[in-house]
Amino acid sequence: FTNYKLQEVGKTFTVSKAKGTTIISIDKKKPIQLLEHYLGKDFIVQIRDMRKEFPFILDKKENRIAIWVENILDNGTIEVNHEVSEGDRLVFAYANIRAIIEDTLSEMKRLSKLNIETIFAYNCVSRKRLLHDFADEEIRMLNEIAPTNGFFSNGEISSGKNKRPELVGHALTYLALTEEKVQNNRKKYDFSYTIPNNLKTVVTLTNLMKASQEDIEALNDNIKISEQYYRSLFDNNTDIVYSTDLQGQFTSVNPAFEKMFGYQKDELIGKSALKYINNEDVPRVRMHFYRAIKGKEQFYNININSKTGENNLFHLRNIPITVNGECVGIYGIGRNITEQKKIEDKIVQL
């Protein structure tokens, strides 16, 4: 039996560069920056004592396993106890105290019903540090069932969900032995445990962090849905749609824009939009651009040449992009009205 329960805390990170057990960057940042930002400088200084208390959950395709920092290198990279690859996802974890206690009590009640002769147990040092009182109580309960021996270690080997050995932390692992056939034990035991006040504070704090994480995940899900709606509107729009920053440089263009003018997105992003219009139209476009920045939606017609030199008339609409009450750029929506203008001119002529 092995009892360890970890609770994920905080956002999920992506390994952006790794080699073997060395993580070179996470979310394109040095791992030491991430550790210091989320766990503080004390964690960096006391890494060897605290690393088992704050492991990562490594999200591999086949399963999720706990890993921890073995060493912080001089260049800000970290060594962990398991191989990682680019694209692997990591999230901080902490002991799920209430689940650990409930799991132990349930197991003690089950074990007490068997005629066990001796028990070999080994605990995690991190568990002893965090759950000092309960760790002692676990050994007392085991010893009440049968004579118990063992030790505390810096990480334990246990059988995982797939019955494959894995290194875990915050764990109590025991092996119960008998030379006789295992039978029911009629002796009655009353195993219970009241969480002390100092641990209740930690339990409450971890619950708060977990609930906050769930709120963030729900918010992110809503953001992703909104982004999908926006992306669908942006990508599938038959009109040209683009955005620029406050300097008038392209920050995005939709597929209709690329198809209409014959430019690839990479040719446009970061380039000034003024570069792609006729010189005589630049003053007028500037005027509409600055009015849009001030919050006034703009409408105007303009002739624009494609990459091959084909000229078309567009009706453009400039809309300010506002974040926290400040304009950070401009959206442009344009419709090709060349044929419409020809028809209108013909009507006027007639």
Side-chain angles (χ1 to χ4, degrees):
F1 169 79
T2 298
N3 174 14
Y4 74 101
K5 296 286 187 295
L6 293 173
Q7 177 174 293
E8 296 179 7
V9 178
K11 65 172 288 189
T12 301
F13 309 98
T14 302
V15 177
S16 43
K17 191 174 182 181
K19 184 178 180 180
T21 58
T22 301
I23 301 179
I24 299 170
S25 65
I26 301 174
D27 286 348
K28 298 183 179 180
K29 295 180 181 178
K30 290 288 185 183
I32 192 172
Q33 295 176 321
L34 180 140
L35 294 175
E36 187 172 323
H37 177 72
Y38 286 96
L39 300 180
K41 292 183 179 179
D42 289 340
F43 179 82
I44 304 297
V45 174
Q46 303 177 50
I47 183 70
R48 295 200 174 276
D49 294 328
M50 299 181 67
R51 58 189 176 186
K52 297 292 194 312
E53 296 184 34
F54 295 91
F56 283 116
I57 298 294
L58 173 62
D59 190 356
K60 287 280 190 182
K61 290 182 179 179
E62 61 274 13
N63 59 0
R64 298 163 71 83
I65 56 177
I67 66 170
W68 50 79
V69 180
E70 291 285 3
N71 194 20
I72 299 178
L73 304 181
D74 292 339
N75 60 0
T77 62
I78 59 175
E79 291 179 342
V80 293
N81 66 313
H82 193 283
E83 283 195 5
V84 292
S85 306
E86 183 178 331
D88 284 347
R89 298 174 71 80
L90 301 172
V91 62
F92 286 118
Y94 193 66
N96 189 331
I97 296 173
R98 186 171 294 279
I100 288 172
I101 292 173
E102 290 174 354
D103 204 21
T104 286
L105 294 178
S106 175
E107 177 62 16
M108 294 298 176
K109 292 173 184 176
R110 186 191 73 84
L111 185 64
S112 66
K113 296 176 182 178
L114 306 176
N115 62 327
I116 302 302
E117 295 182 355
T118 187
I119 298 173
F120 176 74
Y122 52 109
N123 248 348
C124 177
V125 174
S126 298
R127 187 187 185 94
K128 178 72 171 176
R129 185 185 297 114
L130 175 65
L131 302 172
H132 179 79
D133 179 70
F134 184 66
D136 288 343
E137 188 67 11
E138 283 177 319
I139 300 302
R140 185 197 66 76
M141 293 177 188
L142 287 174
N143 204 48
E144 190 174 338
I145 297 170
T148 300
N149 211 329
F151 57 88
F152 287 89
S153 63
N154 195 13
E156 294 70 49
I157 298 293
S158 77
S159 60
K161 293 180 180 179
N162 300 322
K163 301 303 179 184
R164 295 173 60 188
E166 61 176 316
L167 196 62
V168 299
H170 282 302
L172 163 69
T173 300
Y174 79 73
L175 178 65
L177 302 172
T178 180
E179 292 184 354
E180 305 293 334
K181 182 179 179 181
V182 178
Q183 298 174 345
N184 288 336
N185 183 4
R186 295 183 178 181
K187 189 176 178 180
K188 299 293 183 182
Y189 299 88
D190 182 21
F191 295 130
S192 61
Y193 182 76
T194 301
I195 300 177
N197 290 333
N198 64 317
L199 274 186
K200 286 180 181 177
T201 302
V202 179
V203 171
T204 301
L205 182 59
T206 52
N207 284 341
L208 174 61
M209 290 189 293
K210 179 64 174 176
S212 300
Q213 179 188 354
E214 290 172 352
D215 289 343
I216 292 171
E217 288 174 351
L219 180 61
N220 287 339
D221 287 341
N222 290 333
I223 292 173
K224 287 179 182 177
I225 292 172
S226 297
E227 286 178 348
Q228 288 172 8
Y229 277 121
Y230 162 75
R231 180 54 59 184
S232 179
L233 179 64
F234 186 80
D235 289 341
N236 299 325
N237 203 321
T238 55
D239 292 336
I240 64 169
V241 183
Y242 63 92
S243 64
T244 72
D245 57 21
L246 293 178
Q247 285 70 49
Q249 297 175 334
F250 284 116
T251 54
S252 68
V253 295
N254 73 338
F257 191 106
E258 296 177 89
K259 183 178 180 181
M260 176 62 67
F261 296 109
Y263 293 100
Q264 296 297 313
K265 179 169 63 175
D266 294 341
E267 298 179 78
L268 299 167
I269 303 302
K271 305 289 180 59
S272 173
L274 294 178
K275 178 182 175 182
Y276 300 93
I277 62 174
N278 298 321
N279 290 335
E280 60 269 22
D281 291 321
V282 169
R284 182 163 62 96
V285 171
R286 280 188 197 275
M287 177 191 68
H288 289 297
F289 179 78
Y290 287 122
R291 285 180 179 176
I293 287 177
K294 292 179 181 179
K296 297 179 181 179
E297 197 171 324
Q298 299 293 297
F299 300 88
Y300 56 97
N301 295 341
I302 185 171
N303 285 290
I304 306 176
N305 294 326
S306 69
K307 190 175 184 178
T308 59
E310 181 183 357
N311 183 272
N312 287 290
L313 179 65
F314 289 86
H315 177 69
L316 289 187
R317 178 184 179 190
N318 287 164
I319 308 166
I321 304 172
T322 306
V323 177
N324 295 328
E326 293 186 9
C327 182
V328 296
I330 297 295
Y331 274 127
I333 303 174
R335 175 165 295 178
N336 188 342
I337 60 170
T338 304
E339 294 303 319
Q340 179 182 335
K341 184 68 168 92
K342 289 179 180 178
I343 293 171
E344 288 176 357
D345 289 345
K346 184 66 174 177
I347 292 172
V348 171
Q349 182 184 358
L350 291 171

